[in-house]
Amino acid sequence: RNIQNRIVSIPGWSYNTSRDTAEYVFPHLNTSLIEPTTFDTENNIFLLIVVCSAANNFYARQSIRETWGNTSEFNYNYLPRIHSNFRGKYLRADLKRWRGYLYEDPQSSSSHVSVENVTEAAERVSFVRMKVIFLLGQTQSNETQNQIVAESEQFGDIVQESFVDSYNNLTLKTVMLLKWVTNNCLDRVRFVMKCDDDVFVNVPNLLHILLGGIVPVYNDTLSFYDLTSFLATRKKSAIVDPKHLLMGFLFCRAKPIADVTSKWYSPIYMYSGTTYPNYLSGTGYVMSADTLTLLYNTSLKTPLFHLEDVFLTGICANRAGLKPRHSPLFTYTVVKNLCAIRGMITQHPLSPDDIRRAYDFVTNTTIQCPAPDVHFNSKKVLGRSKLCK
């Protein structure tokens, strides 16, 4: 009966525990224990990726630094290489609009040509101004903390905030993410992505989407599309106006879980409704700067809920009048064929070694992955989107 009625409490958030988010975030105070030292304080940043990482996940962070998080290597310059057999068959990005965030390839023989000529701009632009940092909470282990300090001194890409790093505090971690960006670089950042440290991010594809382009559909990515999202590969669905953008894998009409053995268990005193607002998978989602401001301000006035993706992209987004946008390129499941990663944005969950393998495959430009068969009929794609209208 107790399980069915969802009255069993969860560790750290009993019935009597305050859920005033502002009490834990301290919005007007600097609560950072460690700040990044390699952050560009002068130039505008097109995309900031904040990886939420557990304090002792050293190998996971290092794997990301050496693979998809190496933004000086794995940047927009890789897009035409990844999709070389699709050249001319997918929508190019509007680089002219975003040229203030771009660097032309200094190694390219055609780098003297202005990016105003967008016809071949994707072939010449090597770098989009972006940054990857890691967000950690506090650890009770002095040894782990000393290692984090040494890691920060070596790489300069860590933000550590003053809250206990635990699964039921993931909402605090994400709100701290919003707070740090708001207080340190909101006026210079155009887009912010939140992801976990067991996620592979296909950075060139993500940049291409945010720049207004569309990623080609591969034969091995067809299973991720329904009819609506397959048609979303058409020009009219490109991100032309990124205002109020909140995009990832959308869950619709999900119900609170009453099984107390589940890590997603939801006590009724924390959420009394029978259905969650539509929300995005917390494994990885991206937002525009104006969306971040709305979510942060709303979160400080919303009773805290321990499932961070439901809280931020569902409850807070709904209160702020934001509509999360589904993209089939974000996935929270593992694909069997590595060719699918070529056409996706996120892949989860992956071990650090799996992330390295995925990166090696994506950057191996000698491997070409097939497009859908010419006889493929888009009308036969199943309609998952019926649940999300």
Side-chain angles (χ1 to χ4, degrees):
R1 180 181 181 87
N2 289 349
I3 293 177
Q4 292 175 347
N5 290 332
R6 295 167 45 210
I7 64 173
V8 178
S9 64
I10 61 172
W13 298 103
S14 67
Y15 177 80
N16 293 321
T17 302
S18 170
R19 292 193 291 124
D20 184 341
T21 306
E23 286 187 12
Y24 303 96
V25 176
F26 301 104
H28 301 297
L29 298 178
N30 180 8
T31 53
S32 299
L33 303 176
I34 296 178
E35 296 271 12
T37 58
T38 58
F39 210 85
D40 189 344
T41 58
E42 296 180 359
N43 292 313
N44 291 330
I45 299 172
F46 182 74
L47 172 65
L48 173 64
I49 301 180
V50 184
V51 182
C52 290
S53 180
N56 60 351
N57 285 4
F58 300 100
Y59 186 51
R61 292 193 289 274
Q62 189 59 22
S63 294
I64 290 174
R65 290 187 187 102
E66 295 174 357
T67 57
W68 66 260
N70 182 1
T71 58
S72 62
E73 175 68 24
F74 195 51
N75 204 292
Y76 195 54
N77 60 318
Y78 256 98
L79 187 85
R81 305 183 207 178
I82 293 174
H83 307 300
S84 59
N85 54 322
F86 286 85
R87 191 162 297 173
K89 297 181 180 179
Y90 59 90
L91 181 66
R92 293 190 181 277
D94 184 3
L95 300 182
K96 182 177 179 181
R97 175 180 182 179
W98 301 106
R99 64 181 182 178
Y101 294 93
L102 309 176
Y103 295 111
E104 289 187 57
D105 185 356
Q107 305 297 324
S108 172
S109 59
S110 59
S111 61
H112 63 279
V113 182
S114 170
V115 294
E116 291 182 7
N117 181 5
V118 299
T119 306
E120 297 297 331
E123 306 294 336
R124 298 191 308 275
V125 173
S126 181
F127 299 115
V128 173
R129 291 194 185 114
M130 60 173 295
K131 181 70 177 175
V132 176
I133 60 175
F134 299 91
L135 178 65
L136 285 61
Q138 286 181 282
T139 174
Q140 296 179 339
S141 167
N142 290 332
E143 180 182 357
T144 300
Q145 183 60 30
N146 291 336
Q147 288 179 297
I148 292 172
V149 171
E151 181 184 6
S152 174
E153 291 174 350
Q154 181 178 0
F155 299 105
D157 57 2
I158 289 178
V159 176
Q160 187 180 38
E161 286 285 352
S162 54
F163 65 94
V164 177
D165 209 330
S166 66
Y167 183 80
N168 286 339
N169 278 353
L170 287 181
T171 296
L172 286 180
K173 178 178 281 189
T174 306
V175 178
M176 286 291 194
L177 181 163
L178 304 184
K179 173 189 174 182
W180 189 89
V181 174
T182 299
N183 292 344
N184 290 274
C185 56
L186 184 63
D187 59 335
R188 295 184 294 106
V189 171
R190 193 64 189 84
F191 298 98
V192 176
M193 180 184 191
K194 177 266 175 183
C195 70
D196 296 334
D197 62 9
D198 57 352
V199 171
F200 176 81
V201 180
N202 191 325
V203 172
N205 283 353
L206 175 58
L207 291 173
H208 189 61
I209 292 293
L210 295 177
L211 289 165
I214 287 177
V215 174
V217 179
Y218 285 83
N219 187 55
D220 292 297
T221 59
L222 277 174
S223 61
F224 295 93
Y225 288 83
D226 55 53
L227 181 57
T228 299
S229 59
F230 183 78
L231 295 176
T233 60
R234 305 302 188 259
K235 182 176 180 179
K236 65 180 182 179
S237 60
I239 299 177
V240 177
D241 182 7
K243 185 178 181 181
H244 293 170
L245 179 69
L246 180 59
M247 183 172 66
F249 188 95
L250 187 67
F251 290 106
C252 305
R253 301 180 186 175
K255 298 182 182 299
I257 291 177
D259 180 1
V260 294
T261 64
S262 170
K263 68 177 182 178
W264 300 296
Y265 165 69
S266 171
I268 199 166
Y269 62 83
M270 293 190 78
Y271 187 83
S272 59
T274 57
T275 305
Y276 292 133
N278 292 353
Y279 69 95
L280 302 176
S281 168
T283 57
Y285 51 85
V286 64
M287 67 191 87
S288 53
D290 60 316
T291 292
L292 187 145
T293 299
L294 284 171
L295 288 178
Y296 179 53
N297 292 336
T298 304
S299 70
L300 296 176
K301 305 171 186 175
T302 303
L304 189 143
F305 183 63
H306 67 298
L307 301 179
E308 70 90 11
D309 45 9
V310 175
F311 175 76
L312 198 69
T313 69
I315 298 171
C316 292
N318 187 53
R319 284 191 171 196
L322 295 167
K323 186 176 181 180
R325 175 171 174 169
H326 174 67
S327 169
L329 304 187
F330 291 78
T331 178
Y332 64 99
T333 57
V334 176
V335 296
K336 296 181 179 180
N337 195 322
L338 286 174
C339 271
I341 299 178
R342 281 276 176 91
M344 305 297 287
I345 290 177
T346 63
Q347 176 78 129
H348 168 274
L350 298 181
S351 69
D353 291 335
D354 288 337
I355 287 177
R356 293 177 187 273
R357 279 190 284 270
Y359 178 77
D360 290 341
F361 181 87
V362 169
T363 56
N364 186 345
T365 55
T366 63
I367 301 175
Q368 291 193 343
C369 297
D373 186 85
V374 292
H375 301 295
F376 172 75
N377 185 348
S378 65
K379 293 182 179 180
K380 294 182 180 180
V381 181
L382 297 178
R384 168 194 171 276
S385 58
K386 291 179 180 179
L387 293 175
C388 296
K389 290 182 178 179

